[in-house]
């Protein structure tokens, strides 16, 4: 054995990883990412359900119910189309001023917009001003959600071990099913307690006004958080980008394209099994509104538990392989689902929705990690936010509209299934273009993000890196030691 003194850096890092402060910080970040995103997606999901159930009659009256629903889904699409603005503005700010400040701003924006929708007068009261105001508020919702996702993913994943990024990043991915669960649960409870006339008159507004309480809770949680260690390292090394949007487009076009395409299939699948399925069940299968909502409620409950498991699974197997296999399953399942529910019975519908959302878990759980891994740390907030929001335009934004249009034009489920299959094929192309997670782990190690107490050095790195984040404005000091035996 060499006489070289033993280097205790690795042991110190291991001890720090187990320290109460370290574990507490990771837990707080995970909970803040999950709860904040769930609250914002509650706001977004309660609108989606209301658009399918009541907004057609209240804000877009028409003699043809399908036309009213189509117009209501047009405002649903506005929430997606406005997301790139949120991605451009807040994604950029996340790389410049920090993840935490951005997350507080987006939460306030979407919460205020949702609350105002709850007090918005209907078309019968103020005429055309009602749908105009609804579109404006929906646009604000979309801007908030567009800026929220990238920051929430980085909040949880940048506090944790980068080699467990699939699990930590899934905190933000639990937000949509948790928010959808809460939104549909509130709507289902109101539907059970109120008559249909009461629900359509004022009951739906309660679900939107409830958002004020939820946003206050989310702000309380996020205000207590610190900035992520990765951003602290960037600030200390003075490596924050000056023009992150331009850099993403000019230096990382393949990463951006891969991240955009991989989202299309999951977005379309989710729109089918949480939004359009409500319209399909009530209008085509003659099922009650309550029974359709319960089916979605059950599927969302399953997702809350499976989403982090799918993220963790992607840390143990090849993330791209899991994503690709789930994309194939997503393209096949609609051809089974629609014939299965053709009889109009509730049990096949609920089973079909659950299976569809389980497949979605295997895509959406690993998705946050896969997307963030495409970009280097200093451009990660901007790149992830842009990919997420731009993909929403060609994926989730138009999906309910296309579903409704295809069904109206062909009066058959086959075009709907073909559409989902094509969207899944687009995601497969994105997976093929993407890179594996090891490169992202190495980049964080080079940045000094492994200065995060207790985060191991990247696999394959010689020796052990240890560093301490300096206050913003000071040069980041990175030490490297090698142990010889």
């Amino acid at each position: 054995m060499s006489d070289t003194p033993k280097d205790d850096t690795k042991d110190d890092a291991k001890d720090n990883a187990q320290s109460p402060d370290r574990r507490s910080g990771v837990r707080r970040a995970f909970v803040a990412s999950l709860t904040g995103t769930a609250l914002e997606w509650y706001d977004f999901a309660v609108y989606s359900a209301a658009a399918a159930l009541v907004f057609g009659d209240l804000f877009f009256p028409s003699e043809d119910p399908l036309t009213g629903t189509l117009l209501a889904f047009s405002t649903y699409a506005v929430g997606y189309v406005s997301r790139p603005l949120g991605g451009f503005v807040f994604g950029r700010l996340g790389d410049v001023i920090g993840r935490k400040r951005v997350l507080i701003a987006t939460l306030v924006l979407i919460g205020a917009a949702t609350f105002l929708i709850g007090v918005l007068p209907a078309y019968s009261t103020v005429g055309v001003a009602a749908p105009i105001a609804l579109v404006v508020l929906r646009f604000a919702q979309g801007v908030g959600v567009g800026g929220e996702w990238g920051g929430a993913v980085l909040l949880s994943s940048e506090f944790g071990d980068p080699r467990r990024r699939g699990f930590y990043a899934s905190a933000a991915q639990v937000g949509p099913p948790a928010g959808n669960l809460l939104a549909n649960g509130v709507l289902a409870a109101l539907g059970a307690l109120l008559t249909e006339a009461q629900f359509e008159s004022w009951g739906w507004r309660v679900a939107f006004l409830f958002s004020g309480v939820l946003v206050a809770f989310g702000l309380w949680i996020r205000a207590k958080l610190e900035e992520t260690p990765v951003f602290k390292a960037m600030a200390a090394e003075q490596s924050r980008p000056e023009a992150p949007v331009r850099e993403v487009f000019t230096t990382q076009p393949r990463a951006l394209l891969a991240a955009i395409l991989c989202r299309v299939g999951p977005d379309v699948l989710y729109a089918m099994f949480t939004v359009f399925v409500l319209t399909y069940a009530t209008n085509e299968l003659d099922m009650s509104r309550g029974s359709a909502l319960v089916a979605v409620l059950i599927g969302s409950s399953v997702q809350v538990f499976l989403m982090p498991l799918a993220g963790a699974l992607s840390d143990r197997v090849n993330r791209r392989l899991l994503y690709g296999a789930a994309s194939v399953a997503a393209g096949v399942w609609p051809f089974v689902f629609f014939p299965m529910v053709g009889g109009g019975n509730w049990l096949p519908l609920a089973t079909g929705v659950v299976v569809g959302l389980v497949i979605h878990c295997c895509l959406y759980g690993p998705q946050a990690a896969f997307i963030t891994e495409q970009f280097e740390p200093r451009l990660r907030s901007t790149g992830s936010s842009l990919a997420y929001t731009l993909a929403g335009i060609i994926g989730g934004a138009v999906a309910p509209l296309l579903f409704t249009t295809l069904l109206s034009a062909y009066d058959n489920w086959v075009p709907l299934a073909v559409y989902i299959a094509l969207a899944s094929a687009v995601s497969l192309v994105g997976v093929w273009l993407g890179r594996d997670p090891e490169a992202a782990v190495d980049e964080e190690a080079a940045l000094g993000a492994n200065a995060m107490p207790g985060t191991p050095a990247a696999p394959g790195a010689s020796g052990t890196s240890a560093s301490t984040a300096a206050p913003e404005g000071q040069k980041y000091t990175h030490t490297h030691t090698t142990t010889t035996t």
Side-chain angles (χ1 to χ4, degrees), residues 99 119 298 354 378 402 457 475:
R99 311 345 184 179
V119 298
I298 294 172
V354 168
R378 62 188 296 276
L402 284 179
K475 183 64 179 174

Side-chain angles (χ1 to χ4, degrees), residues 23 85 199 263 336:
R23 293 194 300 267
L85 178 60
F199 181 84
R263 271 191 52 83
V336 179

